[in-house]
Amino acid sequence: MTYDLKNIFEQFKAEGTYLTGEPYGSGHIHDTFRIKTAEADRDDYILQRLNNKIFKNIPELQNNIERVTVHLKEKLSRITGANIKRECLALIPSSDGKSWLLDNNGNYWRLYIFISNHRSYNIVDSTDKAYEGGKAIGRFQAMLADMPGGPLFETIPKFHDIENRLRILEEKIKEDPAGRVKELEYEIKEYLSRGEEMKTILRLGREGKIPLRITHNDTKFNNILLDEYDKALCVIDLDTVMPGYVHYDFGDAIRTVTNTAAEDEKDLSKVEMNIDLFEAYAKGYLSETGKTLNSTEIEYLAFAPKLITYTIGVRFLTDYIDGDNYFKIHHPLHNLQRTRAQLKLVMSMERQYEEMKKIIRRLV
Ligand code: ADP
Ligand code: GN1
Ligand code: MG
């Protein structure tokens, strides 16, 4: 699909003249383009065609992001030396003053300032980067803890609710819409056999032992931008910022930070969890949040990576069974490869679970 990016861009109140627009990044949800401007002293931009099959209420989604970014900017403005334009996403209004645009073909668009000179990684190769990632997410959670205005809108209901995800998986297995279930006996058995254990965090929530806080809910490492010196710069992809348990953010970050291979690695012998990267991330994270977490939240941090890696694996498996309607895929077996790689990573985390628990105990 091609779009008239110049025309769309010109309907936003951006500074600078459109020069080029090219696909950008490796997100699985929206269509993302980098817009370069002709003037050297003007910002570049990120233009996104929003996935409104997944995010069904774009005005509420955008209202969340407006609230979050206004609050973060206010916090940053009180920190000497903070660079607000690079440390926080900045939405550019469209010509009618809204933070999104609906074009004549029913597509929703939004525009952000491009965060200059950032670095983004799909795989983490050093404990320094892992530590910086932990600091970034910890600081993000801490800065949002006192955001006024009541709870954020739930942009995707029951997003990390594993009971909900397992219910959908079981429905799709019965329905078998793409005729793929017969090839998946091993994967289905391995995923379903872990279901009960994975309900632990929901149970602790229901028992009132862990609170809902404002969480990001999509803390994979490429949603954390680092600066040119590989220091934490900005947390992006704010579409799922909403009420959640801290375990969701800790778990998803560990899923991506500690994996020695890509999320969709085909050669499963390469997929392992690296415990040194776990320790470095946890250290950075706890340095920012340790004092605010309650003892149950801390006790279950080591469990979180298993839960979220499992949850994302369940979602890849469900999407594969469903015929690939949710995540962007680049080849027909992509969701299957992702399903298998996440399962391998869960197994690696299971083997190192006691070690993870020891590290958390040592760090607090
Ligand atoms: P998705 O939900 O599809 O993952 P994201 O909002 O994460 O979409 O954007 C996709 C990618 O675009 C990011 O991983 C990042 O590389 C890049 N990106 C997004 N926003 C910005 C920004 N403001 N500045 C620079 N790069 C960005
Ligand atoms: C999607 O948007 P992106 O690509 O950062 C997904 C996450 C998954 C991730 C797996 C809204 O994240 O939940 O963990 O893919 N986002 C949404 O890579 O579903
Ligand atoms: Mg993303």
Side-chain angles (χ1 to χ4, degrees):
M1 193 66 186
T2 55
Y3 303 100
D4 187 350
L5 298 177
K6 178 171 185 289
N7 179 270
I8 305 286
F9 174 76
E10 286 172 350
Q11 294 178 57
F12 284 89
K13 292 180 193 165
E15 295 178 342
T17 315
Y18 180 97
L19 182 65
T20 56
E22 300 291 340
Y24 191 80
S26 49
H28 294 343
I29 305 297
H30 305 299
D31 292 335
T32 298
F33 304 91
R34 177 179 180 169
I35 306 296
K36 289 192 178 166
T37 52
E39 299 83 1
D41 59 347
R42 295 288 185 218
D43 291 313
D44 286 346
Y45 294 89
I46 284 283
L47 180 61
Q48 291 185 307
R49 189 179 78 91
L50 302 176
N51 187 327
N52 65 329
K53 258 173 59 189
I54 291 180
F55 294 101
K56 299 196 190 317
N57 190 333
I58 301 290
E60 288 284 8
L61 163 77
Q62 288 297 107
N63 186 47
N64 273 7
I65 299 182
E66 286 172 36
R67 284 180 60 193
V68 167
T69 52
V70 163
H71 187 73
L72 291 175
K73 268 184 206 155
E74 214 270 313
K75 292 265 157 168
L76 288 170
S77 69
R78 295 196 223 157
I79 301 173
T80 331
N83 181 339
I84 295 182
K85 219 164 151 183
R86 291 182 76 215
E87 292 179 39
C88 179
L89 281 177
L91 281 166
I92 304 295
S94 65
S95 45
D96 65 5
K98 295 199 178 83
S99 71
W100 77 94
L101 178 100
L102 178 59
D103 74 14
N104 295 333
N105 302 313
N107 295 308
Y108 285 91
W109 299 86
R110 76 175 162 216
L111 191 71
Y112 285 124
I113 294 178
F114 182 86
I115 295 172
S116 58
N117 292 323
H118 73 264
R119 293 186 180 178
S120 159
Y121 299 92
N122 290 326
I123 298 184
V124 177
D125 61 1
S126 75
T127 50
D128 288 347
K129 291 190 192 102
Y131 176 82
E132 287 297 319
K135 281 196 86 98
I137 296 301
R139 205 179 304 151
F140 182 84
Q141 269 174 9
M143 286 201 286
L144 289 179
D146 61 350
M147 192 179 77
L152 287 162
F153 176 77
E154 224 183 327
T155 54
I156 302 179
K158 296 187 183 288
F159 188 55
H160 283 308
D161 178 328
I162 191 59
E163 290 175 1
N164 172 52
R165 295 294 182 186
L166 285 168
R167 197 162 41 239
I168 301 172
L169 172 60
E170 293 189 48
E171 275 166 25
K172 290 292 170 192
I173 293 172
K174 277 202 199 105
E175 203 185 314
D176 194 12
R180 291 175 172 173
V181 165
K182 59 182 178 307
E183 325 151 14
L184 297 167
E185 201 180 321
Y186 172 76
E187 288 77 12
I188 290 174
K189 176 173 76 53
E190 288 295 327
Y191 274 101
L192 291 184
S193 71
R194 290 168 168 79
E196 270 319 298
E197 181 200 357
M198 298 299 170
K199 296 174 186 168
T200 305
I201 294 296
L202 286 179
R203 184 170 50 72
L204 292 171
R206 286 191 192 114
E207 290 168 356
K209 293 184 176 146
I210 54 173
L212 281 171
R213 301 179 186 269
I214 297 179
T215 48
H216 181 284
N217 297 304
D218 191 2
T219 51
K220 71 174 169 183
F221 199 72
N222 70 18
N223 287 329
I224 305 169
L225 303 186
L226 304 185
D227 70 10
E228 58 274 56
Y229 310 106
D230 283 331
K231 297 288 179 205
L233 181 62
C234 183
V235 177
I236 62 164
D237 203 344
L238 305 177
D239 301 320
T240 51
V241 180
M242 55 187 170
Y245 298 115
V246 291
H247 305 90
Y248 297 157
D249 285 0
F250 187 78
D252 202 13
I254 295 297
R255 175 182 80 85
T256 47
V257 166
T258 67
N259 189 353
T260 49
E263 179 181 69
D264 56 356
E265 176 58 55
K266 195 170 172 211
D267 177 355
L268 296 182
S269 70
K270 293 187 181 155
V271 178
E272 286 294 342
M273 163 171 150
N274 178 313
I275 197 79
D276 296 331
L277 296 173
F278 172 85
E279 175 158 8
Y281 181 92
K283 197 170 168 193
Y285 177 75
L286 286 167
S287 73
E288 297 284 338
T289 59
K291 290 191 186 65
T292 56
L293 302 182
N294 76 28
S295 58
T296 311
E297 287 179 303
I298 291 175
E299 189 185 337
Y300 283 87
L301 280 181
F303 175 74
K306 290 198 291 181
L307 168 65
I308 293 298
T309 309
Y310 173 85
T311 305
I312 311 293
V314 164
R315 292 172 57 201
F316 288 145
L317 175 59
T318 306
D319 199 31
Y320 184 66
I321 293 175
D322 196 35
D324 309 309
N325 293 307
Y326 187 97
F327 296 102
K328 280 178 193 272
I329 54 163
H330 300 117
H331 55 83
L333 296 182
H334 208 162
N335 272 320
L336 178 59
Q337 251 167 246
R338 290 166 171 158
T339 302
R340 290 179 172 154
Q342 297 304 293
L343 178 60
K344 174 71 196 300
L345 189 57
V346 169
M347 291 172 167
S348 177
M349 288 169 172
E350 286 171 345
R351 280 194 299 278
Q352 300 182 78
Y353 186 38
E354 290 308 316
E355 192 56 32
M356 285 196 272
K357 287 203 273 191
K358 267 191 222 151
I359 289 170
I360 298 288
R361 279 199 290 269
R362 205 165 59 229
L363 288 175
V364 290

